[in-house]
PDB file of all heavy atoms in Angstrom:
ATOM      1  N   ASP A  23     -60.706   2.505  22.473  1.00  0.00           N
ATOM      2  CA  ASP A  23     -61.498   2.713  23.725  1.00  0.00           C
ATOM      3  C   ASP A  23     -62.430   1.555  24.086  1.00  0.00           C
ATOM      4  O   ASP A  23     -62.918   1.550  25.149  1.00  0.00           O
ATOM      5  CB  ASP A  23     -62.394   4.090  23.500  1.00  0.00           C
ATOM      6  CG  ASP A  23     -63.236   4.018  22.223  1.00  0.00           C
ATOM      7  OD1 ASP A  23     -62.759   3.346  21.230  1.00  0.00           O
ATOM      8  OD2 ASP A  23     -64.360   4.481  22.213  1.00  0.00           O
ATOM      9  N   LYS A  24     -62.528   0.603  23.113  1.00  0.00           N
ATOM     10  CA  LYS A  24     -63.246  -0.687  23.483  1.00  0.00           C
ATOM     11  C   LYS A  24     -62.285  -1.849  23.469  1.00  0.00           C
ATOM     12  O   LYS A  24     -62.652  -2.963  23.411  1.00  0.00           O
ATOM     13  CB  LYS A  24     -64.260  -0.949  22.297  1.00  0.00           C
ATOM     14  CG  LYS A  24     -65.207   0.201  22.008  1.00  0.00           C
ATOM     15  CD  LYS A  24     -66.303   0.439  23.043  1.00  0.00           C
ATOM     16  CE  LYS A  24     -67.313   1.417  22.480  1.00  0.00           C
ATOM     17  NZ  LYS A  24     -66.989   2.776  22.903  1.00  0.00           N
ATOM     18  N   LEU A  25     -61.036  -1.608  23.755  1.00  0.00           N
ATOM     19  CA  LEU A  25     -59.968  -2.525  23.675  1.00  0.00           C
ATOM     20  C   LEU A  25     -59.976  -3.388  22.453  1.00  0.00           C
ATOM     21  O   LEU A  25     -59.690  -4.589  22.425  1.00  0.00           O
ATOM     22  CB  LEU A  25     -59.993  -3.433  24.976  1.00  0.00           C
ATOM     23  CG  LEU A  25     -59.989  -2.737  26.313  1.00  0.00           C
ATOM     24  CD1 LEU A  25     -59.883  -3.911  27.495  1.00  0.00           C
ATOM     25  CD2 LEU A  25     -58.867  -1.789  26.512  1.00  0.00           C
ATOM     26  N   ALA A  27     -62.337  -4.528  20.841  1.00  0.00           N
ATOM     27  CA  ALA A  27     -63.368  -5.684  20.804  1.00  0.00           C
ATOM     28  C   ALA A  27     -64.085  -5.637  19.453  1.00  0.00           C
ATOM     29  O   ALA A  27     -64.287  -4.582  18.847  1.00  0.00           O
ATOM     30  CB  ALA A  27     -64.301  -5.507  21.948  1.00  0.00           C
ATOM     31  N   ARG A  59     -53.962   0.194  24.161  1.00  0.00           N
ATOM     32  CA  ARG A  59     -53.350  -0.665  25.223  1.00  0.00           C
ATOM     33  C   ARG A  59     -53.631  -2.200  25.006  1.00  0.00           C
ATOM     34  O   ARG A  59     -53.134  -2.962  25.820  1.00  0.00           O
ATOM     35  CB  ARG A  59     -53.667  -0.188  26.601  1.00  0.00           C
ATOM     36  CG  ARG A  59     -55.082  -0.507  27.153  1.00  0.00           C
ATOM     37  CD  ARG A  59     -55.158  -0.147  28.547  1.00  0.00           C
ATOM     38  NE  ARG A  59     -56.471  -0.345  29.081  1.00  0.00           N
ATOM     39  CZ  ARG A  59     -56.928  -1.405  29.680  1.00  0.00           C
ATOM     40  NH1 ARG A  59     -56.135  -2.477  29.830  1.00  0.00           N
ATOM     41  NH2 ARG A  59     -58.102  -1.491  30.212  1.00  0.00           N
ATOM     42  N   ALA A  63     -60.054  -7.513  22.616  1.00  0.00           N
ATOM     43  CA  ALA A  63     -60.726  -8.088  23.786  1.00  0.00           C
ATOM     44  C   ALA A  63     -61.781  -9.094  23.343  1.00  0.00           C
ATOM     45  O   ALA A  63     -62.842  -9.379  24.183  1.00  0.00           O
ATOM     46  CB  ALA A  63     -61.369  -7.006  24.711  1.00  0.00           C
ATOM     47  N   GLY A  64     -61.740  -9.575  22.099  1.00  0.00           N
ATOM     48  CA  GLY A  64     -62.797 -10.628  21.602  1.00  0.00           C
ATOM     49  C   GLY A  64     -64.069  -9.890  21.267  1.00  0.00           C
ATOM     50  O   GLY A  64     -64.131  -8.682  20.871  1.00  0.00           O
ATOM     51  N   GLN A  65     -65.125 -10.640  21.326  1.00  0.00           N
ATOM     52  CA  GLN A  65     -66.495 -10.027  20.957  1.00  0.00           C
ATOM     53  C   GLN A  65     -66.760  -8.882  21.868  1.00  0.00           C
ATOM     54  O   GLN A  65     -66.626  -8.924  23.069  1.00  0.00           O
ATOM     55  CB  GLN A  65     -67.502 -11.124  21.158  1.00  0.00           C
ATOM     56  CG  GLN A  65     -68.923 -10.662  21.004  1.00  0.00           C
ATOM     57  CD  GLN A  65     -69.178 -10.145  19.572  1.00  0.00           C
ATOM     58  OE1 GLN A  65     -68.738 -10.677  18.642  1.00  0.00           O
ATOM     59  NE2 GLN A  65     -69.969  -9.054  19.467  1.00  0.00           N
ATOM     60  N   ASP A  66     -67.394  -7.835  21.284  1.00  0.00           N
ATOM     61  CA  ASP A  66     -67.816  -6.645  22.064  1.00  0.00           C
ATOM     62  C   ASP A  66     -69.107  -7.156  22.842  1.00  0.00           C
ATOM     63  O   ASP A  66     -70.148  -7.361  22.110  1.00  0.00           O
ATOM     64  CB  ASP A  66     -68.185  -5.484  21.206  1.00  0.00           C
ATOM     65  CG  ASP A  66     -68.474  -4.205  22.003  1.00  0.00           C
ATOM     66  OD1 ASP A  66     -68.878  -4.377  23.121  1.00  0.00           O
ATOM     67  OD2 ASP A  66     -68.130  -3.173  21.553  1.00  0.00           O
ATOM     68  N   LEU A  67     -68.993  -7.179  24.137  1.00  0.00           N
ATOM     69  CA  LEU A  67     -70.129  -7.793  24.905  1.00  0.00           C
ATOM     70  C   LEU A  67     -71.213  -6.832  25.096  1.00  0.00           C
ATOM     71  O   LEU A  67     -72.381  -7.195  25.464  1.00  0.00           O
ATOM     72  CB  LEU A  67     -69.544  -8.318  26.239  1.00  0.00           C
ATOM     73  CG  LEU A  67     -68.527  -9.472  26.189  1.00  0.00           C
ATOM     74  CD1 LEU A  67     -67.957  -9.812  27.514  1.00  0.00           C
ATOM     75  CD2 LEU A  67     -69.222 -10.709  25.563  1.00  0.00           C
ATOM     76  N   ARG A  68     -71.000  -5.550  24.727  1.00  0.00           N
ATOM     77  CA  ARG A  68     -72.095  -4.588  24.760  1.00  0.00           C
ATOM     78  C   ARG A  68     -73.185  -5.002  23.777  1.00  0.00           C
ATOM     79  O   ARG A  68     -74.384  -4.639  23.988  1.00  0.00           O
ATOM     80  CB  ARG A  68     -71.601  -3.224  24.428  1.00  0.00           C
ATOM     81  CG  ARG A  68     -70.721  -2.535  25.488  1.00  0.00           C
ATOM     82  CD  ARG A  68     -70.222  -1.148  24.980  1.00  0.00           C
ATOM     83  NE  ARG A  68     -69.141  -0.680  25.772  1.00  0.00           N
ATOM     84  CZ  ARG A  68     -67.928  -1.008  25.700  1.00  0.00           C
ATOM     85  NH1 ARG A  68     -67.497  -1.977  24.867  1.00  0.00           N
ATOM     86  NH2 ARG A  68     -67.007  -0.531  26.573  1.00  0.00           N
ATOM     87  N   ARG A  70     -74.125  -7.880  23.375  1.00  0.00           N
ATOM     88  CA  ARG A  70     -74.757  -9.261  23.727  1.00  0.00           C
ATOM     89  C   ARG A  70     -75.611  -9.010  25.082  1.00  0.00           C
ATOM     90  O   ARG A  70     -75.970 -10.030  25.694  1.00  0.00           O
ATOM     91  CB  ARG A  70     -73.661 -10.184  24.043  1.00  0.00           C
ATOM     92  CG  ARG A  70     -72.861 -10.599  22.773  1.00  0.00           C
ATOM     93  CD  ARG A  70     -73.636 -11.366  21.789  1.00  0.00           C
ATOM     94  NE  ARG A  70     -72.982 -11.733  20.557  1.00  0.00           N
ATOM     95  CZ  ARG A  70     -72.981 -10.922  19.468  1.00  0.00           C
ATOM     96  NH1 ARG A  70     -73.497  -9.795  19.370  1.00  0.00           N
ATOM     97  NH2 ARG A  70     -72.313 -11.426  18.433  1.00  0.00           N
ATOM     98  N   ARG A  81     -76.301 -17.065  18.681  1.00  0.00           N
ATOM     99  CA  ARG A  81     -75.656 -16.089  17.803  1.00  0.00           C
ATOM    100  C   ARG A  81     -74.911 -16.692  16.632  1.00  0.00           C
ATOM    101  O   ARG A  81     -74.408 -17.795  16.764  1.00  0.00           O
ATOM    102  CB  ARG A  81     -74.617 -15.320  18.745  1.00  0.00           C
ATOM    103  CG  ARG A  81     -75.172 -14.724  19.973  1.00  0.00           C
ATOM    104  CD  ARG A  81     -75.965 -13.489  19.536  1.00  0.00           C
ATOM    105  NE  ARG A  81     -76.619 -12.806  20.713  1.00  0.00           N
ATOM    106  CZ  ARG A  81     -77.280 -11.660  20.632  1.00  0.00           C
ATOM    107  NH1 ARG A  81     -77.515 -11.084  19.417  1.00  0.00           N
ATOM    108  NH2 ARG A  81     -77.816 -11.109  21.611  1.00  0.00           N
ATOM    109  N   SER A  83     -72.391 -15.344  15.056  1.00  0.00           N
ATOM    110  CA  SER A  83     -71.109 -14.601  14.854  1.00  0.00           C
ATOM    111  C   SER A  83     -69.967 -15.534  14.432  1.00  0.00           C
ATOM    112  O   SER A  83     -69.131 -15.223  13.707  1.00  0.00           O
ATOM    113  CB  SER A  83     -70.743 -13.808  16.072  1.00  0.00           C
ATOM    114  OG  SER A  83     -70.490 -14.598  17.057  1.00  0.00           O
ATOM    115  N   LEU A  84     -70.057 -16.835  14.958  1.00  0.00           N
ATOM    116  CA  LEU A  84     -68.946 -17.691  14.644  1.00  0.00           C
ATOM    117  C   LEU A  84     -69.025 -18.110  13.223  1.00  0.00           C
ATOM    118  O   LEU A  84     -68.065 -18.071  12.407  1.00  0.00           O
ATOM    119  CB  LEU A  84     -69.038 -19.057  15.484  1.00  0.00           C
ATOM    120  CG  LEU A  84     -68.803 -18.779  17.052  1.00  0.00           C
ATOM    121  CD1 LEU A  84     -68.606 -20.086  17.739  1.00  0.00           C
ATOM    122  CD2 LEU A  84     -67.686 -17.889  17.302  1.00  0.00           C
ATOM    123  N   TYR A  88     -66.131 -15.181  12.823  1.00  0.00           N
ATOM    124  CA  TYR A  88     -64.867 -15.614  13.400  1.00  0.00           C
ATOM    125  C   TYR A  88     -64.330 -16.893  12.689  1.00  0.00           C
ATOM    126  O   TYR A  88     -63.173 -16.923  12.416  1.00  0.00           O
ATOM    127  CB  TYR A  88     -65.196 -15.989  14.906  1.00  0.00           C
ATOM    128  CG  TYR A  88     -65.415 -14.792  15.701  1.00  0.00           C
ATOM    129  CD1 TYR A  88     -66.705 -14.488  16.256  1.00  0.00           C
ATOM    130  CD2 TYR A  88     -64.356 -13.956  16.089  1.00  0.00           C
ATOM    131  CE1 TYR A  88     -67.009 -13.333  17.003  1.00  0.00           C
ATOM    132  CE2 TYR A  88     -64.674 -12.768  16.891  1.00  0.00           C
ATOM    133  CZ  TYR A  88     -65.897 -12.576  17.355  1.00  0.00           C
ATOM    134  OH  TYR A  88     -66.200 -11.364  18.067  1.00  0.00           O
ATOM    135  N   VAL A 109     -53.314  -6.841  26.018  1.00  0.00           N
ATOM    136  CA  VAL A 109     -54.165  -7.991  26.316  1.00  0.00           C
ATOM    137  C   VAL A 109     -54.850  -8.548  25.084  1.00  0.00           C
ATOM    138  O   VAL A 109     -55.381  -7.761  24.223  1.00  0.00           O
ATOM    139  CB  VAL A 109     -55.012  -7.714  27.479  1.00  0.00           C
ATOM    140  CG1 VAL A 109     -56.138  -6.739  27.069  1.00  0.00           C
ATOM    141  CG2 VAL A 109     -55.755  -9.047  27.956  1.00  0.00           C
ATOM    142  N   ALA A 111     -57.901 -11.229  24.495  1.00  0.00           N
ATOM    143  CA  ALA A 111     -58.789 -11.948  25.275  1.00  0.00           C
ATOM    144  C   ALA A 111     -59.876 -12.579  24.402  1.00  0.00           C
ATOM    145  O   ALA A 111     -60.169 -12.098  23.313  1.00  0.00           O
ATOM    146  CB  ALA A 111     -59.440 -11.053  26.240  1.00  0.00           C
ATOM    147  N   GLY A 112     -60.432 -13.712  24.786  1.00  0.00           N
ATOM    148  CA  GLY A 112     -61.448 -14.439  24.098  1.00  0.00           C
ATOM    149  C   GLY A 112     -61.093 -14.725  22.597  1.00  0.00           C
ATOM    150  O   GLY A 112     -59.952 -15.186  22.391  1.00  0.00           O
ATOM    151  N   ALA A 113     -61.990 -14.452  21.741  1.00  0.00           N
ATOM    152  CA  ALA A 113     -61.659 -14.544  20.287  1.00  0.00           C
ATOM    153  C   ALA A 113     -60.458 -13.816  19.910  1.00  0.00           C
ATOM    154  O   ALA A 113     -59.773 -14.207  18.956  1.00  0.00           O
ATOM    155  CB  ALA A 113     -62.891 -14.216  19.480  1.00  0.00           C
ATOM    156  N   GLY A 114     -60.211 -12.729  20.480  1.00  0.00           N
ATOM    157  CA  GLY A 114     -59.041 -11.939  20.194  1.00  0.00           C
ATOM    158  C   GLY A 114     -57.746 -12.716  20.470  1.00  0.00           C
ATOM    159  O   GLY A 114     -56.739 -12.523  19.740  1.00  0.00           O
ATOM    160  N   VAL A 133     -55.648 -14.335  27.321  1.00  0.00           N
ATOM    161  CA  VAL A 133     -56.631 -14.993  28.321  1.00  0.00           C
ATOM    162  C   VAL A 133     -57.768 -15.576  27.564  1.00  0.00           C
ATOM    163  O   VAL A 133     -58.339 -14.935  26.647  1.00  0.00           O
ATOM    164  CB  VAL A 133     -57.078 -13.827  29.349  1.00  0.00           C
ATOM    165  CG1 VAL A 133     -57.574 -12.632  28.668  1.00  0.00           C
ATOM    166  CG2 VAL A 133     -58.147 -14.508  30.220  1.00  0.00           C
ATOM    167  N   SER A 135     -60.905 -15.925  28.085  1.00  0.00           N
ATOM    168  CA  SER A 135     -61.807 -15.372  29.032  1.00  0.00           C
ATOM    169  C   SER A 135     -63.174 -16.027  28.843  1.00  0.00           C
ATOM    170  O   SER A 135     -64.143 -15.737  29.683  1.00  0.00           O
ATOM    171  CB  SER A 135     -61.966 -13.898  28.791  1.00  0.00           C
ATOM    172  OG  SER A 135     -62.064 -13.686  27.417  1.00  0.00           O
ATOM    173  N   PHE A 136     -63.357 -16.928  27.954  1.00  0.00           N
ATOM    174  CA  PHE A 136     -64.712 -17.481  27.678  1.00  0.00           C
ATOM    175  C   PHE A 136     -65.371 -18.010  29.009  1.00  0.00           C
ATOM    176  O   PHE A 136     -66.567 -17.841  29.225  1.00  0.00           O
ATOM    177  CB  PHE A 136     -64.623 -18.559  26.572  1.00  0.00           C
ATOM    178  CG  PHE A 136     -63.979 -18.188  25.322  1.00  0.00           C
ATOM    179  CD1 PHE A 136     -62.572 -18.203  25.178  1.00  0.00           C
ATOM    180  CD2 PHE A 136     -64.777 -17.529  24.287  1.00  0.00           C
ATOM    181  CE1 PHE A 136     -61.964 -17.869  24.031  1.00  0.00           C
ATOM    182  CE2 PHE A 136     -64.190 -17.175  23.148  1.00  0.00           C
ATOM    183  CZ  PHE A 136     -62.753 -17.220  22.964  1.00  0.00           C
ATOM    184  N   ARG A 138     -65.145 -17.415  31.928  1.00  0.00           N
ATOM    185  CA  ARG A 138     -65.637 -16.380  32.871  1.00  0.00           C
ATOM    186  C   ARG A 138     -67.002 -16.045  32.660  1.00  0.00           C
ATOM    187  O   ARG A 138     -67.706 -15.460  33.581  1.00  0.00           O
ATOM    188  CB  ARG A 138     -64.650 -15.116  32.788  1.00  0.00           C
ATOM    189  CG  ARG A 138     -63.277 -15.300  33.137  1.00  0.00           C
ATOM    190  CD  ARG A 138     -62.459 -14.001  33.019  1.00  0.00           C
ATOM    191  NE  ARG A 138     -61.125 -14.102  33.376  1.00  0.00           N
ATOM    192  CZ  ARG A 138     -60.272 -13.162  33.337  1.00  0.00           C
ATOM    193  NH1 ARG A 138     -60.607 -11.830  32.851  1.00  0.00           N
ATOM    194  NH2 ARG A 138     -58.937 -13.259  33.583  1.00  0.00           N
ATOM    195  N   ILE A 139     -67.523 -16.119  31.424  1.00  0.00           N
ATOM    196  CA  ILE A 139     -68.853 -15.597  31.173  1.00  0.00           C
ATOM    197  C   ILE A 139     -69.743 -16.843  30.539  1.00  0.00           C
ATOM    198  O   ILE A 139     -70.746 -16.606  29.999  1.00  0.00           O
ATOM    199  CB  ILE A 139     -68.919 -14.467  30.107  1.00  0.00           C
ATOM    200  CG1 ILE A 139     -68.059 -14.930  28.828  1.00  0.00           C
ATOM    201  CG2 ILE A 139     -68.242 -13.231  30.722  1.00  0.00           C
ATOM    202  CD1 ILE A 139     -68.275 -13.911  27.741  1.00  0.00           C
ATOM    203  N   LEU A 141     -69.050 -19.154  28.329  1.00  0.00           N
ATOM    204  CA  LEU A 141     -68.898 -19.670  26.932  1.00  0.00           C
ATOM    205  C   LEU A 141     -67.793 -20.651  26.771  1.00  0.00           C
ATOM    206  O   LEU A 141     -67.092 -20.887  27.770  1.00  0.00           O
ATOM    207  CB  LEU A 141     -68.624 -18.423  26.095  1.00  0.00           C
ATOM    208  CG  LEU A 141     -69.744 -17.353  25.680  1.00  0.00           C
ATOM    209  CD1 LEU A 141     -69.273 -16.287  24.862  1.00  0.00           C
ATOM    210  CD2 LEU A 141     -70.941 -18.115  25.115  1.00  0.00           C
ATOM    211  N   ASP A 144     -63.612 -20.352  21.481  1.00  0.00           N
ATOM    212  CA  ASP A 144     -63.900 -20.462  20.015  1.00  0.00           C
ATOM    213  C   ASP A 144     -62.813 -19.919  19.155  1.00  0.00           C
ATOM    214  O   ASP A 144     -61.719 -19.770  19.651  1.00  0.00           O
ATOM    215  CB  ASP A 144     -65.295 -19.815  19.711  1.00  0.00           C
ATOM    216  CG  ASP A 144     -65.325 -18.349  20.041  1.00  0.00           C
ATOM    217  OD1 ASP A 144     -64.261 -17.605  20.007  1.00  0.00           O
ATOM    218  OD2 ASP A 144     -66.420 -17.774  20.375  1.00  0.00           O
ATOM    219  N   GLU A 169     -55.206 -14.890  33.092  1.00  0.00           N
ATOM    220  CA  GLU A 169     -54.374 -14.249  32.160  1.00  0.00           C
ATOM    221  C   GLU A 169     -53.032 -14.908  32.153  1.00  0.00           C
ATOM    222  O   GLU A 169     -52.480 -15.119  33.201  1.00  0.00           O
ATOM    223  CB  GLU A 169     -54.241 -12.720  32.420  1.00  0.00           C
ATOM    224  CG  GLU A 169     -55.518 -11.995  32.019  1.00  0.00           C
ATOM    225  CD  GLU A 169     -55.403 -10.476  32.169  1.00  0.00           C
ATOM    226  OE1 GLU A 169     -54.433  -9.919  31.832  1.00  0.00           O
ATOM    227  OE2 GLU A 169     -56.429  -9.905  32.635  1.00  0.00           O
TER     228      GLU A 169
HETATM  229  O1  T3D B   1     -71.933 -14.025  21.344  1.00  0.00           O
HETATM  230  C1  T3D B   1     -71.053 -14.411  20.384  1.00  0.00           C
HETATM  231  O2  T3D B   1     -70.958 -13.788  19.357  1.00  0.00           O
HETATM  232  C2  T3D B   1     -70.057 -15.508  20.709  1.00  0.00           C
HETATM  233  C3  T3D B   1     -68.583 -15.104  20.399  1.00  0.00           C
HETATM  234  C4  T3D B   1     -67.783 -15.011  21.306  1.00  0.00           C
HETATM  235  C5  T3D B   1     -66.353 -14.556  21.019  1.00  0.00           C
HETATM  236  C6  T3D B   1     -65.691 -14.066  22.282  1.00  0.00           C
HETATM  237  O3  T3D B   1     -64.610 -13.324  22.080  1.00  0.00           O
HETATM  238  S1  T3D B   1     -66.346 -14.213  23.786  1.00  0.00           S
HETATM  239  C7  T3D B   1     -65.256 -13.377  24.888  1.00  0.00           C
HETATM  240  C8  T3D B   1     -65.511 -11.921  24.895  1.00  0.00           C
HETATM  241  N1  T3D B   1     -64.499 -11.210  25.614  1.00  0.00           N
HETATM  242  C9  T3D B   1     -64.321 -11.243  26.896  1.00  0.00           C
HETATM  243  O4  T3D B   1     -64.987 -11.920  27.591  1.00  0.00           O
HETATM  244  C10 T3D B   1     -63.236 -10.307  27.503  1.00  0.00           C
HETATM  245  C11 T3D B   1     -63.833  -9.292  28.386  1.00  0.00           C
HETATM  246  N2  T3D B   1     -62.876  -8.416  28.850  1.00  0.00           N
HETATM  247  C12 T3D B   1     -62.088  -8.761  29.869  1.00  0.00           C
HETATM  248  O5  T3D B   1     -62.008  -9.839  30.399  1.00  0.00           O
HETATM  249  C13 T3D B   1     -61.042  -7.678  30.335  1.00  0.00           C
HETATM  250  O6  T3D B   1     -61.552  -6.424  29.983  1.00  0.00           O
HETATM  251  C14 T3D B   1     -59.663  -7.796  29.667  1.00  0.00           C
HETATM  252  C15 T3D B   1     -58.983  -9.018  30.339  1.00  0.00           C
HETATM  253  C16 T3D B   1     -59.729  -7.899  28.222  1.00  0.00           C
HETATM  254  C17 T3D B   1     -58.873  -6.551  30.105  1.00  0.00           C
HETATM  255  O7  T3D B   1     -58.954  -6.293  31.431  1.00  0.00           O
HETATM  256  P1  T3D B   1     -58.571  -4.877  32.125  1.00  0.00           P
HETATM  257  O8  T3D B   1     -58.681  -4.928  33.584  1.00  0.00           O
HETATM  258  O9  T3D B   1     -57.236  -4.553  31.491  1.00  0.00           O
HETATM  259  O10 T3D B   1     -59.556  -3.860  31.428  1.00  0.00           O
HETATM  260  P2  T3D B   1     -61.157  -3.645  31.932  1.00  0.00           P
HETATM  261  O11 T3D B   1     -61.220  -2.602  32.947  1.00  0.00           O
HETATM  262  O12 T3D B   1     -61.805  -4.927  32.241  1.00  0.00           O
HETATM  263  O13 T3D B   1     -61.720  -3.138  30.613  1.00  0.00           O
HETATM  264  C18 T3D B   1     -61.622  -1.842  30.142  1.00  0.00           C
HETATM  265  C19 T3D B   1     -62.889  -1.396  29.538  1.00  0.00           C
HETATM  266  O14 T3D B   1     -63.176  -2.152  28.292  1.00  0.00           O
HETATM  267  C20 T3D B   1     -64.067  -1.602  30.445  1.00  0.00           C
HETATM  268  O15 T3D B   1     -65.072  -0.574  30.120  1.00  0.00           O
HETATM  269  P3  T3D B   1     -65.284   0.685  31.091  1.00  0.00           P
HETATM  270  O16 T3D B   1     -65.553   0.194  32.424  1.00  0.00           O
HETATM  271  O17 T3D B   1     -63.968   1.472  30.947  1.00  0.00           O
HETATM  272  O18 T3D B   1     -66.346   1.444  30.391  1.00  0.00           O
HETATM  273  C21 T3D B   1     -64.594  -2.954  29.969  1.00  0.00           C
HETATM  274  O19 T3D B   1     -65.945  -3.114  30.211  1.00  0.00           O
HETATM  275  C22 T3D B   1     -64.427  -2.832  28.403  1.00  0.00           C
HETATM  276  N3  T3D B   1     -64.265  -4.106  27.781  1.00  0.00           N
HETATM  277  C23 T3D B   1     -63.265  -4.938  27.809  1.00  0.00           C
HETATM  278  N4  T3D B   1     -63.491  -5.981  27.132  1.00  0.00           N
HETATM  279  C24 T3D B   1     -64.751  -5.766  26.513  1.00  0.00           C
HETATM  280  C25 T3D B   1     -65.235  -4.594  27.016  1.00  0.00           C
HETATM  281  N5  T3D B   1     -66.443  -4.175  26.597  1.00  0.00           N
HETATM  282  C26 T3D B   1     -67.152  -4.953  25.838  1.00  0.00           C
HETATM  283  N6  T3D B   1     -66.709  -6.166  25.382  1.00  0.00           N
HETATM  284  C27 T3D B   1     -65.508  -6.584  25.725  1.00  0.00           C
HETATM  285  N7  T3D B   1     -65.134  -7.798  25.197  1.00  0.00           N
END
Side-chain angles (χ1 to χ4, degrees):
D23 52 329
K24 310 282 189 273
L25 303 190
R59 75 172 177 92
Q65 173 62 41
D66 190 329
L67 297 174
R68 287 177 193 80
R70 297 293 182 266
R81 301 288 176 176
S83 63
L84 297 193
Y88 292 105
V109 64
V133 54
S135 48
F136 306 90
R138 295 179 180 178
I139 55 169
L141 284 183
D144 60 27
E169 284 183 42

